Amino acid sequence: MTDTSKIRGKVVVITGGARGIGLATATALQALGAKIAIGDIDEATVKESGTARGFELYGKLDVTDPASFESFLDEVERSVGPIDVLVNNAGIMPTGKLVDEPDQITRRILDINVYGVILGSKLGLARMLPRKRGHVINIASLAGETHIPGLATYNASKHAVLGFTDTLREEYRDSGVRFSSVLPTLTNTELGAGVTAPKLLRPAEPEEIADAIVGLIVAPKSKVRVTAVAGIISQVVGLLPDVVGDGIARALGAGHAFLDDVDVAKRKAYEDRARSV
Ligand code: NAD
């Protein structure tokens, strides 16, 4: 059984914590006694969520802006304490075919999902290294180990997060600072609105991703895939020759899930939000 007593008193920063996986993680960790700071580009929602749950700190943070990120972390260390865990969670997932993706959206996906994670890891690390302790947890996706039509730029961004995080884990192996990646399957948050999960892959609840992150903090490891079944399927498919693996993915419906199978009306509010941040 997981010994969650290690969570008590830890200072945990979560980016993109206003809603979804970030908020579920903050809530789970708070219940175990962690001190929580959530930052989000959506200032109104982060304040609403932070007030409702009584987190130690909450406020505006744009992970693509070094000054904003740095001053948020400074404020956490000043008013809550030295950061033990940084969860780089903020991310967006606009869907559609590549030729239809406006270039500013392509850049924004990379800016938030990749540069934001690199920047956060660098700023977190700079604070943790002198203390010889700390844990940076980067939220990737099973999309970081697979390739899904309709998500080309997003896939690229999550492949990048995995390669980046694995590299840091080796680069800072003896530093006392840990690095982990989290690979959720399709999860029931606004980001997945209007998308039907491929066959055999039930969508996860954000609380399951939160539980996996709790497990990582208690017993650090390089990566965790959620759900376990989706993780096994994607690893096995990844080992097969492309022609076989792609055929299986198509048979499960992955070829259409993020394109013509999308419920456009259900997804509209999310696409509008993601394309405007
Ligand atoms: P969400 O849209 O519910 O929450 C993401 C939050 O990030 C939002 O509150 C948004 O305002 C914030 N954000 C966006 N740009 C930001 C920026 N520049 N600075 C700070 N905050 C910013 O999405 P979610 O499903 O909770 O996703 C969280 C993470 O999990 C993302 O990295 C996502 O790619 C990943 N993920 C999600 C799923 C899924 O199906 N929901 C699956 C795999 C991985």
Side-chain angles (χ1 to χ4, degrees):
M1 221 178 91
T2 317
D3 176 14
T4 53
S5 64
K6 286 189 189 162
I7 304 279
R8 180 157 299 282
K10 282 205 190 295
V11 175
V12 183
V13 177
I14 303 175
T15 72
R19 54 167 70 73
I21 290 172
L23 183 59
T25 303
T27 306
L29 289 166
Q30 182 193 42
L32 296 169
K35 297 178 185 163
I36 303 296
I38 55 169
D40 201 290
I41 200 162
D42 180 345
E43 193 171 6
T45 308
V46 81
K47 287 190 169 157
E48 211 175 282
S49 301
T51 315
R53 289 174 171 74
F55 293 143
E56 268 70 16
L57 191 82
Y58 43 88
K60 179 152 186 176
L61 160 66
D62 179 356
V63 296
T64 69
D65 174 355
S68 164
F69 215 144
E70 182 117 48
S71 75
F72 188 81
L73 297 183
D74 282 346
E75 181 57 29
V76 174
E77 299 224 307
R78 221 176 6 249
S79 63
V80 188
I83 297 164
D84 294 297
V85 181
L86 169 61
V87 185
N88 287 308
N89 163 76
I92 58 169
M93 191 185 77
T95 53
K97 285 203 165 169
L98 185 66
V99 283
D100 302 325
E101 185 174 277
D103 199 47
Q104 101 251 21
I105 298 298
T106 304
R107 282 177 181 266
R108 197 64 181 146
I109 296 171
L110 296 175
D111 216 14
I112 296 171
N113 296 11
V114 182
Y115 175 69
V117 170
I118 293 176
L119 177 64
S121 300
K122 202 192 290 186
L123 296 175
L125 190 56
R127 287 166 167 74
M128 293 168 180
L129 277 179
R131 305 196 277 259
K132 297 188 172 55
R133 68 186 166 83
H135 194 168
V136 177
I137 298 177
N138 292 333
I139 309 302
S141 168
L142 285 179
E145 290 186 326
T146 49
H147 40 277
I148 308 160
L151 291 183
T153 307
Y154 181 80
N155 269 125
S157 75
K158 296 301 186 179
H159 279 251
V161 169
L162 284 178
F164 171 74
T165 311
D166 278 336
T167 306
L168 289 186
R169 189 164 49 75
E170 273 304 291
E171 194 168 302
Y172 291 95
R173 212 163 82 85
D174 300 318
S175 69
V177 180
R178 308 284 202 144
F179 289 90
S180 305
S181 311
V182 181
L183 289 77
T185 190
L186 184 69
T187 303
N188 281 326
T189 67
E190 291 172 26
L191 179 143
V195 177
T196 306
K199 286 177 211 130
L200 304 181
L201 297 178
R202 75 160 174 89
E205 295 305 324
E207 290 73 21
E208 295 178 79
I209 317 301
D211 283 351
I213 294 171
V214 167
L216 270 185
I217 297 173
V218 171
K221 54 181 180 172
S222 62
K223 40 182 85 73
V224 61
R225 298 174 180 83
V226 195
T227 63
V229 170
I232 290 166
I233 291 176
S234 96
Q235 279 179 285
V236 170
V237 169
L239 289 174
L240 299 170
D242 283 348
V243 64
V244 182
D246 290 353
I248 293 175
R250 276 198 299 274
L252 295 178
H256 299 274
F258 294 86
L259 289 170
D260 28 318
D261 286 355
V262 168
D263 183 331
V264 177
K266 273 198 192 146
R267 191 154 178 80
K268 184 173 183 318
Y270 175 74
E271 288 285 341
D272 289 349
R273 169 163 71 75
R275 286 164 190 268
S276 68
V277 290

